[in-house]
Amino acid sequence: MMPRAGRDVAITVPVQLAAPERVLVPDLESDPTLERHFRGHRDTVTSVDFSCTMKQIATGSSDSCVMIWNMKPQTRAYRFDGHKDAVTSVHFSPSGHLVASASRDKSVRLWVPSLKAESTVFKAHTATVRSVSFSGDGQSLVTASDDKTVKVWTVHRQKFLFSLNQHINWVRCARFSPDDRLIVSTSDDKTIKLWDKNSRECIHSFYEYAGYSNHVDFHPSGTCIAAASTDNSVKVWDIRSHKMLQHYQVHSGIVNSLSFHPAGNFLITASSDSTVKVLDLLEGKLLYTLHGHQGPVTCVAFSKNGEYFASGGNDEQLLVWKTNFDAAEFGDGTGQQHRSRSGTRAPTAHITVSSEPAQRSQMSGASEVSRPDTVPRSHSRNGNLSRLGRSQTHGKPSIASSTSNAHPPYTAPLPSHPQESASEGGLTSTLEHIIGQLDILTQTVSILEQRLTLTEDKLKECLENQMELSARLQSRDEA
């Protein structure tokens, strides 16, 4: 029986996710709190990422700017101007010394996150670059583009290494695995492809049937991936068995972004339904629904230590949240937690943030933005989000909360008839063969398109030279 629209229901297959030795569990006596909110962008915040030191946060926006926000109070932010069109993705290097940004202007820039705003730029693709991401060792970059390709580059001198060409539509996102041996990419062609970095071949394709995925990322263990889909759902796949582990239908709008907690036990999602949701992957259920943005939430990210997470949206704001996770050791090897949770209530925090614009001051190099408001921490001690604080004035957020029921997860039934399972397996094999043949044709067409593009560029160059030569001859004749 399918859940009715709008209900917070998680559909899961009972499996054991690989988890670190330590597991984090929510402390219901200290719910997520809004710590800071930043304003400075003039359009939708499209991407967000934390530095490894937690001292800085990078954001990209449709206003063509990259901004570096400082977590230290009373410290100004930097605005980096350089892209000629919307910034679609930002990512800190593992060391925190560089920030990569991708843009609709078909380029990728590498910035030094300081007041000088030093950067290098290279044309990465022939169409909009949708995402950029560093490898775990910080030596490589992977980019995804509307030109249907995924490309890998060296960070040093931005040397092109290779291209992955089997997608047949725009590629929305690409990420390295934690060990840098694999790459995952998602496309409007309704596939999520898993690539071997060394052989440069697609080793498996996961298929979306109701929509396509906007965002995909690896679990910290590297054993599974999660995808944020336009069918309003979040899916988790095992990359070893190629089976879907979990399927969450908790949003009422397109899911735009997601991020794993570094411990691997929790997942946050951002949706066009104006909410951020926290999912418990071990128990397969919705934990929190956070209402902080006025309009679609477009991006979300955990900090590297998991202590904070940030969200950005169409309201041009960046919200920084304090998590409520306490560390607890595993009780045994089966993944049971010391602390148990009873009941199915999922707290819902309603947070309204003012849209008062921040004052700006111009500086040489990068622009600086005046200090944003800081939100005082508030706690609820009765286990529910009955009230986190009183209304704030002078542009500070007002926080009020309520609780809503979250329905218990529905366990998907496993196939009961071996014959049906076998026939489905045969059909899947046939479809994968057909898709493989289509991929070969697509790759051939992609090569032809690249050759055609080179020919067009050479022809354009010849015409420009001819026009310049004609102009020179005409000027001589007139003289």
Side-chain angles (χ1 to χ4, degrees):
M1 182 176 180
M2 295 299 293
R4 290 179 294 178
R7 292 175 61 185
D8 290 340
V9 179
I11 299 179
T12 70
V13 176
V15 294
Q16 182 64 47
L17 291 180
E21 293 180 357
R22 293 173 66 85
V23 61
L24 303 180
V25 299
D27 177 6
L28 294 180
E29 293 184 355
S30 180
D31 301 304
T33 55
L34 182 63
E35 290 289 298
R36 307 281 298 276
H37 87 288
F38 300 91
R39 284 190 63 86
H41 283 297
R42 302 181 181 94
D43 207 334
T44 300
V45 180
T46 57
S47 182
V48 61
D49 191 35
F50 285 86
S51 69
C52 59
T53 62
M54 261 299 301
K55 293 181 180 180
Q56 294 180 317
I57 304 175
T59 55
S61 170
S62 296
D63 64 7
S64 306
C65 294
V66 173
M67 294 197 69
I68 306 297
W69 309 92
N70 290 286
M71 285 293 289
K72 185 179 179 180
Q74 299 182 351
T75 305
R76 295 182 180 274
Y78 306 138
R79 181 194 305 280
F80 295 161
D81 295 305
H83 285 293
K84 298 177 182 178
D85 207 334
V87 178
T88 56
S89 177
V90 292
H91 195 227
F92 268 101
S93 65
S95 66
H97 297 151
L98 291 174
V99 174
S101 61
S103 171
R104 286 182 186 168
D105 64 11
K106 308 174 187 178
S107 74
V108 169
R109 283 182 176 266
L110 294 177
W111 307 85
V112 177
S114 65
L115 183 58
K116 292 183 179 180
E118 298 173 345
S119 70
T120 59
V121 60
F122 61 98
K123 184 179 179 182
H125 291 269
T126 58
T128 295
V129 187
R130 293 284 176 178
S131 83
V132 61
S133 182
F134 283 94
S135 59
D137 60 11
Q139 301 300 311
S140 303
L141 286 169
V142 61
T143 57
S145 170
D146 286 359
D147 64 9
K148 308 173 189 176
T149 67
V150 175
K151 293 184 178 180
V152 178
W153 314 77
T154 63
V155 174
H156 181 61
R157 296 185 178 180
Q158 300 83 56
K159 180 183 176 182
F160 171 72
L161 293 179
F162 59 88
S163 180
L164 306 173
N165 302 306
Q166 293 188 25
H167 282 295
I168 58 176
N169 208 331
W170 295 354
V171 187
R172 294 276 174 176
C173 182
R175 292 287 187 271
F176 286 104
S177 62
D179 60 8
D180 293 336
R181 293 189 303 108
L182 302 173
I183 295 173
V184 66
S185 61
T186 183
S187 166
D188 286 14
D189 62 11
K190 297 186 177 183
T191 67
I192 298 172
K193 293 187 181 293
L194 198 61
W195 310 84
D196 185 292
K197 180 184 173 184
N198 293 327
S199 68
R200 306 175 188 179
E201 294 185 357
C202 178
I203 57 179
H204 188 74
S205 293
F206 300 92
Y207 297 97
E208 293 266 18
Y209 296 102
Y212 60 84
S213 295
N214 282 316
H215 188 98
V216 67
D217 203 359
F218 279 94
H219 185 271
S221 68
T223 59
C224 57
I225 57 173
S229 179
T230 58
D231 66 2
N232 307 349
S233 73
V234 176
K235 303 177 182 71
V236 180
W237 279 283
D238 190 312
I239 66 172
R240 300 161 298 183
S241 65
H242 304 152
K243 293 181 179 180
M244 184 187 297
L245 300 180
Q246 296 177 334
H247 185 193
Y248 295 92
Q249 294 176 311
V250 295
H251 284 287
S252 58
I254 292 171
V255 187
N256 297 308
S257 180
L258 53 77
S259 178
F260 282 102
H261 189 280
N265 305 312
F266 301 95
L267 184 71
I268 50 174
T269 58
S271 171
S272 294
D273 64 10
S274 304
T275 69
V276 173
K277 292 182 184 285
V278 182
L279 306 174
D280 185 331
L281 297 178
L282 291 183
E283 295 194 4
K285 72 177 184 179
L286 173 67
L287 285 181
Y288 293 101
T289 296
L290 305 174
H291 299 263
H293 289 276
Q294 301 171 10
V297 188
T298 51
C299 55
V300 71
F302 267 114
S303 63
K304 301 302 185 287
N305 61 5
E307 187 177 356
Y308 296 92
F309 59 93
S311 59
N314 280 17
D315 57 6
E316 306 173 9
Q317 296 190 94
L318 173 69
L319 305 183
V320 180
W321 308 80
K322 174 78 170 179
T323 62
N324 62 335
F325 302 146
D326 288 342
E329 299 289 347
F330 273 117
D332 51 42
T334 63
Q336 297 297 322
Q337 300 170 3
H338 271 184
R339 176 176 297 187
S340 63
R341 275 167 285 166
S342 60
T344 59
R345 300 180 66 81
T348 304
H350 299 273
I351 300 177
T352 304
V353 182
S354 70
S355 58
E356 220 174 274
Q359 296 177 352
R360 302 183 181 92
S361 59
Q362 297 297 323
M363 300 289 290
S364 60
S367 301
E368 291 188 321
V369 179
S370 58
R371 180 176 63 86
D373 294 327
T374 302
V375 182
R377 292 187 59 183
S378 307
H379 298 282
S380 173
R381 297 298 183 187
N382 59 0
N384 293 321
L385 278 173
S386 59
R387 180 170 297 179
L388 292 182
R390 296 178 181 271
S391 297
Q392 304 287 333
T393 57
H394 307 295
K396 293 186 179 179
S398 60
I399 306 176
S401 306
S402 64
T403 57
S404 64
N405 290 331
H407 299 272
Y410 168 76
T411 303
L414 298 176
S416 56
H417 300 287
Q419 294 180 352
E420 292 180 5
S421 178
S423 62
E424 289 177 0
L427 179 60
T428 301
S429 177
T430 303
L431 288 174
E432 288 182 353
H433 176 73
I434 295 173
I435 293 296
Q437 296 299 316
L438 289 174
D439 286 342
I440 294 173
L441 292 175
T442 302
Q443 190 171 2
T444 303
V445 172
S446 177
I447 295 173
L448 293 175
E449 286 179 348
Q450 292 176 5
R451 291 181 179 176
L452 181 60
T453 301
L454 291 174
T455 304
E456 289 175 346
D457 291 341
K458 290 182 180 178
L459 180 59
K460 183 179 179 181
E461 185 179 354
C462 290
L463 290 174
E464 289 176 350
N465 292 336
Q466 185 176 357
M467 291 176 65
E468 185 179 354
L469 181 61
S470 298
R472 289 181 179 177
L473 291 175
Q474 185 176 359
S475 62
R476 285 183 181 179
D477 293 339
E478 291 177 353

